[in-house]
Amino acid sequence: MNMRIKAALFDMDGVLVDNAHMHVKSFEVMYDRFQVPDAERKNVMDFMGCGLAEVLNSMFSPEVIEEKGFDFLCYEKERIYREIYAPTIHPIEGLVELLQKLKKEGVKCAVGSSGCIENVRFVLEKCQIAECFDAVVSGDQVSRCKPDPEIYQVAAQKLGVAPADCLVFEDAMVGIESAHRAGVEHVIALTTSFSIPELEAVHPEHIVRDFTEICDDML
């Protein structure tokens, strides 16, 4: 098979794993623990794909952040997420098979996530796919998270390929924007977190339910 791409860049949340509900649940636990009134609670899905710092500053009031401490809130949110997700975590259907195909064809793979490195390692290890990736870029390894293009620019650079020669797998509008701004022409969106009309608004090349719908022509 002669693939048109030299590298595949994968977002993590909503792409390697279908985990939006677990991020929502972890914030619900946080809200309950810190007794945040219902009227002040925000929908984490409104910030999906962004870096944790931006999400926390949007989800919690300045008063809560000052009282609890920003670093503590970051640590607790991700600790709770990993704790409640560990028993049921599994890769999205068809992912392992696709990674094996890409490796066989000599296509380099990288993770490009706004998530922290601890969460990336957690997903890769629990899903037993760490060896499938040649590079990892996490949100705490860059100065600007998505929709800024830095994450995908750095991921392509680590693989030694031009962004134009990459295919990006994303689930969020901010991630698709990040890929396009990085110079990536080929983006496939998964419908794990957002609807088809929402994804169509940012013009991915293809939209699929999961990796079982990926055909050779898309690669």
Side-chain angles (χ1 to χ4, degrees):
M1 177 182 174
N2 184 21
M3 293 191 177
R4 61 176 173 169
I5 58 169
K6 295 180 180 178
L9 312 180
F10 293 77
D11 178 38
M12 179 179 67
D13 294 329
V15 174
L16 302 183
V17 287
D18 187 0
N19 60 349
H21 61 297
M22 286 297 177
H23 281 296
V24 171
K25 188 173 181 179
S26 65
F27 270 106
E28 290 174 349
V29 172
M30 294 273 284
Y31 276 151
D32 290 341
R33 177 173 300 176
F34 301 134
Q35 299 180 324
V36 176
D38 289 346
E40 297 180 11
R41 300 188 181 197
K42 309 283 183 61
N43 181 7
V44 67
M45 293 302 296
D46 292 339
F47 313 100
M48 194 60 65
C50 300
L52 180 58
E54 180 180 348
V55 177
L56 280 175
N57 280 316
S58 301
M59 297 288 287
F60 289 97
S61 68
E63 292 76 19
V64 171
I65 292 175
E66 182 177 359
E67 177 188 352
K68 303 300 180 182
F70 188 79
D71 290 343
F72 174 75
L73 289 173
C74 288
Y75 173 82
E76 273 298 284
K77 188 273 166 190
E78 301 300 20
R79 183 193 65 78
I80 292 168
Y81 158 76
R82 292 191 295 269
E83 180 181 279
I84 63 179
Y85 194 24
T88 60
I89 186 173
H90 59 86
I92 284 183
E93 191 172 358
L95 172 64
V96 173
E97 292 78 6
L98 175 62
L99 289 171
Q100 291 171 344
K101 175 186 287 189
L102 293 172
K103 185 174 184 179
K104 182 179 179 181
E105 296 294 331
V107 176
K108 297 179 180 180
C109 294
V111 177
S113 171
S114 292
C116 64
I117 190 62
E118 290 83 4
N119 282 1
V120 176
R121 289 171 179 161
F122 166 75
V123 167
L124 296 184
E125 291 170 6
K126 289 292 184 180
C127 293
Q128 300 181 4
I129 54 174
E131 71 282 356
C132 297
F133 293 95
D134 303 287
V136 169
V137 181
S138 60
D140 42 12
Q141 296 174 341
V142 296
S143 58
R144 299 173 300 277
C145 286
K146 303 170 186 176
D148 189 274
E150 185 179 6
I151 284 177
Y152 285 127
Q153 289 171 335
V154 173
Q157 184 179 39
K158 282 191 172 187
L159 296 180
V161 300
D165 293 324
C166 296
L167 166 63
V168 163
F169 292 97
E170 264 289 351
D171 72 306
M173 286 77 76
V174 294
I176 297 171
E177 180 184 346
S178 170
H180 285 156
R181 290 174 63 187
V184 176
E185 299 176 5
H186 310 299
V187 180
I188 296 179
L190 281 75
T191 58
T192 48
S193 304
F194 295 96
S195 68
I196 291 176
E198 288 173 309
L199 294 169
E200 285 178 335
V202 288
H203 311 296
E205 189 173 24
H206 303 285
I207 299 176
V208 298
R209 179 178 55 87
D210 57 37
F211 292 103
T212 64
E213 296 183 356
I214 301 296
C215 62
D216 290 346
D217 288 345
M218 297 180 184
L219 305 175

